Amino acid sequence: MKLRLVILGSAICAAAFLTSCTREYTCRCTWSHSGAPGLPQGEVKEYPITDTKKGAESKCKNGSHRYEEQGIVTEENCVLF
């Protein structure tokens, strides 16, 4: 009986600990264009990521890219807030 209570208590504590590590973060991506006159100015897009800080940071940074097509360069730089 005591063993069951210890296991149950440990499970509850572990569940509370694991869920408290995940929260909602904001990933902010800025876009910029270069290579030709008249291109639009930079844009900023934000989206939520619910994960641990390390996981959210990884997902957000994976959104950063550089594209080049016909001399026009588009850069997307994403940072976690």
Side-chain angles (χ1 to χ4, degrees):
M1 181 69 170
K2 276 188 168 182
L3 183 60
R4 285 184 183 173
L5 289 175
V6 170
I7 292 172
L8 179 63
S10 297
I12 291 171
C13 289
F17 177 74
L18 291 175
T19 57
S20 65
C21 291
T22 57
R23 59 178 263 215
E24 188 171 287
Y25 295 92
T26 300
C27 183
R28 179 180 292 166
C29 299
T30 55
W31 294 64
S32 62
H33 308 280
S34 62
L39 291 173
Q41 297 295 326
E43 297 176 47
V44 177
K45 294 183 181 180
E46 293 183 350
Y47 59 93
I49 299 176
T50 303
D51 203 340
T52 62
K53 183 168 184 164
K54 202 175 223 181
E57 194 168 68
S58 175
K59 288 176 185 175
C60 184
K61 286 190 177 188
N62 285 338
S64 296
H65 295 289
R66 177 184 163 97
Y67 310 96
E68 187 169 349
E69 188 174 317
Q70 298 178 356
I72 297 175
V73 178
T74 302
E75 290 189 64
E76 180 180 8
N77 185 24
C78 300
V79 179
L80 190 68
F81 281 88

